[in-house]
Amino acid sequence: MTAKVKAPAADGAQAPSPPQSAAGKGMFGLPTATALVIGSVIGTGVFALPTALAPYGPISLVAFVLVTVGALALAFTFGALSKRVRGSGGPYVYARDAFGDFAGFLNAWSYWITAWAGNAAIVVAWVGYVEVFWNTGHAKAWSIAIAMVGLWIPAIINLSGVRNMAITQIVTTVLKFVPLLFMATVGLLFVKAHNFGAFNASGTSASAAISAAAAIALFSYLGIETASVAAGRVRDPQRNVGRATILGTVGCAIVYILGTVTVFGTVSNAALQTSTAPFTDSANAIFGGRWAGQAVAVAAIVSGLGALIGWTLIVAEMPMAAAKDRLFPAAFGRTRKGVPAFGIISSTLLASVLTAVSYSQFEKVFTTLVLLSVVTAVIPYIFSAGAQLYWLLARGRQTRWPHLLRDCGVSATALAFSFWSLAGSGYQAVYYGLFCLLLGLPVYIWLKAARHEYGESPVLAAGEPPVPRAATGPRRPAAAQKTPAAPTT
């Protein structure tokens, strides 16, 4: 008797994430998808970023511009991929579609680490702004307690259902984007040149300073892929996912670069390097007194909660897509009120532990967590850009040459940018990131052994004939349905 591997659910058909997807309920359109991107990208990280970049001086603004170009290349790449490979999962489904099960698993595992480690970094910056009002002495025990509140309130909101998450995401996005836009426009009128300090304050070469600053600046753009990760929840995803990704990235880029220039030009470099709330210090310097800084701190607190609400959904969305393909533990695929409850709770627990450990073990908590998140995020970015470039070279021969060259150039730029960001993260961050990535190998072995597979084929009993490739079922993810490709010669 021939041994057969159970084919993934729906055999390559698009699997709706929540049960009510077919009816259009529990899904959101372009405004919410764009708010998810902006809300996930603009967290408290941007409010703490000027302090992390201050040791490099204004040369970090050059890095910021280069990172913005790379982020836009990634945004266009994710937009193109979302039109070709449908369903939730983002980089996971793109990598699995192009390179197979193991690549898909590595992306899901790495991105999962990025999401909960990134939540730890966001909440650390969020605590800094809460402490403008309370625990101003920065007692570690109270800082950890505040961080736990910041992690678990978003988890509770997500567990209450997709509708509540969508409403709070739109509200918090508006509340935080307006003050940042104000600082990025009106604040420029108060910039003073002497506050910038030495152009390259790092004491290293210009190229080394730009690379190191770029790795930190990239954290500001983590989340541009969130619309593609949650594509199964977006109405008309072929049209709206790409638009939301690009609109969200452009909007964030404007307030990021101009806002950072405002902070650099209104707070001295020496003061900025020790600040725990740089935008608050900048607002106080512009308007005098403390009321303006406190208003910005409130905006940062709202911003952090909005980002954590978005990322708490995303931290469980990709593992859920992988679990449906039996490439992640089955518990991650279970839903409650249309949301992956186990993934949300387990990831929030891990973020809580990492946050508590970081406060006791690392001197520069935010920067350490940022670099770890960047390393684990860049891996899915590399695979996604590689998947798009691979498809263009292998299947894009029917595309007009000018368009093919343009698309290849964008994907190649995204790929090169991702490698550059990885190189700038530093040896320690790459070491920890690689260690966390390889921890997934025993999990993959366990999952594949449970499926009685070796590689991409079933394990046969002694004397059984080989199983034809077609009998093993499609390799395409159950959560992803690829649109038909143009015939090639």
Side-chain angles (χ1 to χ4, degrees):
M1 182 176 178
T2 303
K4 295 181 78 173
V5 175
K6 189 184 291 183
D11 285 320
Q14 184 176 352
S17 297
Q20 62 269 55
S21 293
K25 297 179 181 179
M27 303 185 75
F28 40 78
L30 179 61
T32 303
T34 305
L36 178 63
V37 174
I38 294 176
S40 300
V41 172
I42 299 181
T44 44
V46 64
F47 289 94
L49 200 68
T51 295
L53 294 176
Y56 303 98
I59 197 172
S60 59
L61 295 172
V62 177
F64 223 142
V65 172
L66 294 176
V67 166
T68 300
V69 172
L72 287 171
L74 280 169
F76 279 105
T77 299
F78 283 121
L81 285 165
S82 68
K83 293 177 182 177
R84 186 167 54 81
V85 186
R86 302 179 191 175
S88 290
Y92 157 70
V93 294
Y94 307 150
R96 188 174 185 231
D97 179 70
F99 305 119
D101 281 355
F102 187 54
F105 170 80
L106 281 180
N107 276 264
W109 180 264
S110 185
Y111 195 86
W112 179 61
I113 294 170
T114 296
W116 57 259
N119 280 356
I122 291 170
V123 84
V124 165
W126 182 79
V127 167
Y129 281 92
V130 172
E131 290 179 343
V132 169
F133 304 99
W134 190 59
N135 190 36
T136 55
H138 309 295
K140 284 187 178 180
W142 280 114
S143 295
I144 294 172
I146 296 168
M148 296 304 106
V149 173
L151 287 170
W152 284 98
I153 287 178
I156 292 168
I157 291 173
N158 273 276
L159 290 171
S160 68
V162 176
R163 178 178 173 81
N164 292 337
M165 185 283 297
I167 292 172
T168 54
Q169 191 64 253
I170 292 175
V171 171
T172 56
T173 296
V174 172
L175 289 176
K176 66 186 173 184
F177 194 77
V178 171
L180 278 174
L181 188 62
F182 178 83
M183 291 291 290
T185 52
V186 177
L188 292 173
L189 300 174
F190 298 87
V191 167
K192 296 179 181 178
H194 66 83
N195 284 321
F196 286 96
F199 182 68
N200 181 3
S202 67
T204 62
S205 66
S207 60
I210 290 174
S211 294
I216 296 173
L218 176 60
F219 180 77
S220 302
Y221 288 106
L222 296 189
I224 59 174
E225 71 289 340
T226 49
S228 67
V229 174
R233 300 182 183 274
V234 180
R235 286 191 295 271
D236 192 8
Q238 281 192 293
R239 179 170 178 263
N240 288 333
V241 169
R243 293 174 66 192
T245 302
I246 294 166
L247 287 173
T249 304
V250 171
C252 293
I254 292 171
V255 299
Y256 272 178
I257 295 175
L258 297 181
T260 303
V261 170
T262 295
V263 175
F264 271 35
T266 53
V267 182
S268 69
N269 184 266
L272 199 55
Q273 292 193 36
T274 59
S275 174
T276 59
F279 272 85
T280 290
D281 293 340
S282 176
N284 286 334
I286 291 172
F287 298 104
R290 295 183 56 84
W291 67 270
Q294 289 176 345
V296 171
V298 170
I301 292 169
V302 172
S303 176
L305 283 175
L308 287 164
I309 289 167
W311 274 106
T312 300
L313 172 69
I314 296 303
V315 77
E317 196 75 16
M318 188 181 292
M320 182 175 69
K324 288 181 178 180
D325 296 323
R326 296 187 297 161
L327 286 176
F328 232 75
F332 285 88
R334 299 175 192 144
T335 60
R336 177 182 175 273
K337 294 185 179 181
V339 296
F342 178 82
I344 290 172
I345 293 171
S346 61
S347 301
T348 304
L349 280 171
L350 287 168
S352 300
V353 171
L354 181 60
T355 302
V357 170
S358 299
Y359 268 109
S360 59
Q361 298 294 326
F362 303 127
E363 182 179 353
K364 294 184 177 180
V365 181
F366 178 73
T367 303
T368 302
L369 293 175
V370 161
L371 291 175
L372 174 61
S373 301
V374 165
V375 170
T376 53
V378 162
I379 293 168
Y381 290 172
I382 288 172
F383 273 94
S384 297
Q388 174 67 357
L389 188 61
Y390 175 37
W391 187 86
L392 288 169
L393 295 175
R395 306 289 298 278
R397 286 174 287 177
Q398 292 296 316
T399 306
R400 293 181 179 179
W401 275 103
H403 293 166
L404 180 61
L405 290 174
R406 178 201 63 195
D407 294 343
C408 285
V410 171
S411 300
T413 299
L415 186 63
F417 164 71
S418 300
F419 275 113
W420 178 54
S421 300
L422 185 64
S425 298
Y427 295 112
Q428 186 180 35
V430 172
Y431 167 78
Y432 284 125
L434 182 61
F435 183 80
C436 291
L437 180 67
L438 294 180
L439 282 176
L441 187 58
V443 178
Y444 184 76
I445 294 170
W446 167 54
L447 291 167
K448 294 291 279 188
R451 293 171 61 171
H452 303 290
E453 289 180 353
Y454 182 80
E456 306 263 347
S457 303
V459 176
L460 303 178
E464 282 191 302
V467 181
R469 177 66 184 167
T472 65
R475 188 179 68 188
R476 190 175 304 154
Q481 177 183 352
K482 189 167 71 173
T483 55
T488 57
T489 56

